[in-house]
């Protein structure tokens, strides 16, 4: 088979995979995993049922793939926030505030983030505990590395970077999303929650004198 034919095959496969994942995500969100059949996924994607099985094995693996691909956007969002604010800065407090604000803005405008959270909450019975552990680990990894660096540079006292990351998220980003009506918060309110959370975090992890 020549090079042009190879390219067509690869592109066709990628197109089908993309359509299958998009169709599965739409159905899992609208109908739920248990109520969504492989036949329905195939019909919406415009492929055969056999193609879905050939690419993803079964519906359970299809759900896992949907979650993994959707979470990849969230991971890229976190990496971008770290790159924008936590690698080079003059003021650590301001850098952490800007990082959190960027994450909140992105998450509020991201269909991938909303889909990930909704599926993660609704489909608990259909996803393994290890998946949630892996997802938590992946989302925390970049921040943990930065906190380790902050500790090494004497900017913070971080005896347990993993726990510090959980404290940081709980005091800032998660506190915003856990408000009774987070969608009703304006920019000033979000900034206040994040700023106060960052300040509490910095007091708790202040460098040793």
């Amino acid at each position: 088979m020549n090079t042009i034919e190879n390219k067509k095959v690869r592109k066709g496969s990628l197109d089908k995979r993309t359509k299958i994942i998009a169709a599965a995500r739409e159905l899992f969100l609208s109908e739920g995993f248990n109520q969504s059949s492989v036949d329905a996924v195939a019909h919406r994607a415009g492929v055969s049922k056999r193609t879905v099985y050939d690419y993803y094995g079964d519906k359970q693996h299809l759900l896992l793939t949907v979650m993994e691909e959707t979470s990849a956007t969230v991971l890229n969002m976190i990496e971008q926030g770290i790159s924008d604010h936590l690698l080079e800065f003059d003021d650590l407090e301001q850098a952490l505030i800007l990082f959190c604000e960027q994450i909140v803005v992105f998450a509020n405008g991201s269909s991938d983030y909303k889909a990930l959270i909704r599926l993660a909450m609704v489909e608990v019975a259909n996803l393994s505990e290890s998946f949630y552990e892996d997802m938590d680990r992946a989302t925390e990894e970049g921040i943990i590395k930065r906190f380790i660096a902050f500790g090494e540079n004497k900017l913070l006292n971080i005896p347990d970077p993993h726990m510090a990351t959980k404290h940081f998220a709980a005091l800032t980003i998660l506190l915003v999303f856990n408000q009774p009506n987070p969608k009703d918060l304006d920019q000033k309110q979000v900034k206040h929650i994040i700023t106060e959370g960052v300040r509490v975090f910095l007091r708790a992890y202040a460098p040793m004198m």
Side-chain angles (χ1 to χ4, degrees), residues 114-177:
K114 293 172 184 176
L116 178 66
I117 297 303
R118 184 175 170 190
L119 286 171
M121 292 175 63
V122 173
E123 304 300 345
V124 173
N126 295 306
L127 292 164
S128 67
E129 185 177 338
S130 63
F131 170 80
Y132 289 95
E133 292 172 351
D134 290 344
M135 188 170 68
D136 284 344
R137 190 179 303 111
T139 56
E140 294 171 349
E141 184 177 4
I143 302 173
I144 289 172
K145 289 179 180 178
R146 294 314 301 149
F147 283 172
I148 290 173
F150 296 161
E152 292 173 346
N153 293 329
K154 309 301 182 185
L155 294 173
L156 295 173
N157 177 36
I158 306 283
D160 185 342
H162 182 264
M163 184 57 66
T165 299
K166 291 189 177 299
H167 287 161
F168 175 70
L171 288 165
T172 56
I173 299 166
L174 295 181
L175 189 56
V176 171
F177 292 136

Side-chain angles (χ1 to χ4, degrees), residues 74-101:
V74 177
L75 295 178
N76 290 337
M77 164 192 74
I78 295 171
E79 291 176 3
Q80 186 62 54
I82 290 172
S83 176
D84 289 344
H85 302 294
L86 301 184
L87 297 181
E88 296 182 6
F89 51 83
D90 296 321
D91 181 276
L92 179 57
E93 177 182 306
Q94 187 63 17
L96 292 171
I97 291 170
L98 290 172
F99 168 76
C100 293
E101 288 180 325

